[in-house]
Amino acid sequence: MMKTELSTSAVITSEQMLEHWQGHRNLTRRVIEAFPEDKLFTHSIGDMRTFGEISKELIDLAGRGIHGIATGNWDALPDLDHQTETASIATVHSKQELLRLWDMVTGEINSLWPTIPEGRFSEVDVAFGLYEGEIKSTLFYFIDNEIHHRGQGYVYLRSLGIEPPSFWEK
């Protein structure tokens, strides 16, 4: 029987994790793009929110989340504080403004990510003052939550007769 040596090496590097997260974000962005302008904030099934509202949640979670991960300061970031030239995220009701905010948060993630020390991902923190856990678990939640909500977007698109982007092309 072969003896397995334990290693302290990571299964995934910080750079690979960023690439993975941004791959999911890129795919979700393409789902937003696939929606007709008149359906993004109006079409829903059952009591679920529109994909426009869901997308605003994803923007807020990722935007405030990357700041909390990078700085450890989760409380100083008020809800829905991401601004565009014309409106806050709470008042966005067009695909163009939604995509502009999405891209702004993508840029924030890319600029803040290199400032995160490698050891930070194993630190325990209380995300948004509510959710205690290791930073890597919080990040996995951000990604899992986005995948879940993107699935809702796929259902909405199919119900509108629109083929969604291939899920494997992230």
Side-chain angles (χ1 to χ4, degrees), residues 60-80:
D60 186 51
L61 186 67
R64 292 190 310 128
I66 191 61
H67 284 280
I69 288 171
T71 67
N73 185 353
W74 302 86
D75 295 327
L77 300 164
D79 284 1
L80 304 174

Side-chain angles (χ1 to χ4, degrees), residues 20-60:
H20 180 76
W21 187 18
Q22 290 292 34
H24 280 289
R25 289 183 47 75
N26 182 49
L27 180 53
T28 302
R29 188 187 195 286
R30 291 199 336 266
V31 172
I32 296 168
E33 288 175 327
F35 270 85
E37 179 76 34
D38 66 330
K39 299 296 183 190
L40 185 59
F41 290 96
T42 60
H43 183 74
S44 69
I45 298 174
D47 292 331
M48 293 190 299
R49 295 174 290 162
T50 66
F51 198 66
E53 292 301 317
I54 289 168
S55 298
K56 290 194 295 187
E57 173 196 310
L58 296 174
I59 289 167
D60 186 51

Side-chain angles (χ1 to χ4, degrees), residues 6-137:
L6 294 178
S7 171
T8 58
S9 67
V11 172
I12 186 170
T13 66
S14 174
E15 293 79 18
Q16 290 167 327
M17 188 65 180
L18 174 61
E19 182 180 342
H20 180 76
W21 187 18
Q22 290 292 34
H24 280 289
R25 289 183 47 75
N26 182 49
L27 180 53
T28 302
R29 188 187 195 286
R30 291 199 336 266
V31 172
I32 296 168
E33 288 175 327
F35 270 85
E37 179 76 34
D38 66 330
K39 299 296 183 190
L40 185 59
F41 290 96
T42 60
H43 183 74
S44 69
I45 298 174
D47 292 331
M48 293 190 299
R49 295 174 290 162
T50 66
F51 198 66
E53 292 301 317
I54 289 168
S55 298
K56 290 194 295 187
E57 173 196 310
L58 296 174
I59 289 167
D60 186 51
L61 186 67
R64 292 190 310 128
I66 191 61
H67 284 280
I69 288 171
T71 67
N73 185 353
W74 302 86
D75 295 327
L77 300 164
D79 284 1
L80 304 174
D81 72 339
H82 291 80
Q83 299 291 318
T84 66
E85 293 94 18
T86 58
S88 75
I89 191 171
T91 61
V92 167
H93 295 290
S94 76
K95 187 189 320 188
Q96 180 183 7
E97 280 294 307
L98 194 66
L99 290 171
R100 185 185 336 265
L101 284 170
W102 191 272
D103 294 343
M104 184 184 79
V105 170
T106 297
E108 289 175 8
I109 292 168
N110 288 336
S111 68
L112 287 171
W113 192 269
T115 70
I116 304 169
E118 196 74 32
R120 174 76 173 133
F121 296 103
S122 296
E123 290 178 11
V124 174
D125 205 340
V126 184
F128 309 112
L130 298 170
Y131 309 106
E132 183 174 352
E134 287 185 315
I135 292 297
K136 61 185 164 199
S137 297

